[in-house]
Amino acid sequence: MGVTYKYFGAPDGATAARVPVTMRPEELGGDELGMGGMFTKIKPETMAAMVLTGIQGIPLNKVPPLELVVLHPDYAVVKLPMTVVDPLRGVGEESVGAAAFIWSTVPDRGGPRDAYNVYQLLHEWQDFSHRLHEAGHQPYCLVWP
């Protein structure tokens, strides 16, 4: 089985905190859990590290921590720093490809290891970052077992 991560956008922490309770996007005023979000098995910490080390060149030990919004026995909601999505909006194919290659060679870390899988994931994350920006939302992640 394993943990599932649902990335979504919300205007603020209060709205993000209501996502697991309602699970109905129309009540949130957007498509937070609809087409605008992303389901993945990749931890938010790993996504942050992939973008910040691969695109921004930030050392792994300098990746900022996630902010806990809700901790419930059945789920958690965390907020990701904007620095995890903003860098992807302005980069081209070469940067995404280089980041995918770099991340695929980093030893002893979680996440996908194949450069092409990393490349596809970064492209999905890039699309997600554009949708967040257009909606004026912050990135959040719903985590449940």
Side-chain angles (χ1 to χ4, degrees):
M1 185 135 169
V3 176
T4 302
Y5 303 96
K6 171 65 181 184
Y7 294 92
F8 65 96
D12 53 49
T15 304
R18 290 195 315 267
V19 166
V21 178
T22 65
M23 296 300 274
R24 292 175 54 188
E26 62 274 8
E27 294 177 13
L28 299 169
D31 66 340
E32 286 85 355
L33 290 169
M35 294 303 294
M38 279 179 52
F39 279 106
T40 181
K41 295 287 186 186
I42 309 298
K43 291 185 199 177
E45 298 88 350
T46 303
M47 285 304 308
M50 287 171 68
V51 171
L52 295 175
T53 59
I55 302 287
Q56 295 290 95
I58 294 173
L60 205 49
N61 64 341
K62 299 287 186 201
V63 173
L66 306 176
E67 178 185 325
L68 183 65
V69 177
V70 174
L71 181 59
H72 184 274
D74 299 326
Y75 60 84
V77 175
V78 295
K79 179 182 178 187
L80 287 82
M82 286 304 289
T83 54
V84 175
V85 290
D86 283 346
L88 283 167
R89 285 202 329 270
V91 299
E93 287 297 309
E94 300 83 18
S95 295
V96 174
F101 176 74
I102 290 166
W103 189 256
S104 72
T105 64
V106 175
D108 300 327
R109 48 100 192 115
R113 285 174 168 60
D114 178 78
Y116 184 71
N117 291 341
V118 176
Y119 176 79
Q120 287 180 307
L121 185 64
L122 285 173
H123 261 292
E124 287 178 37
W125 197 249
Q126 192 173 37
D127 292 341
F128 180 57
S129 71
H130 283 289
R131 291 192 306 271
L132 284 176
H133 181 71
E134 288 165 10
H137 285 178
Q138 302 280 324
Y140 293 90
C141 184
L142 171 60
V143 182
W144 72 96

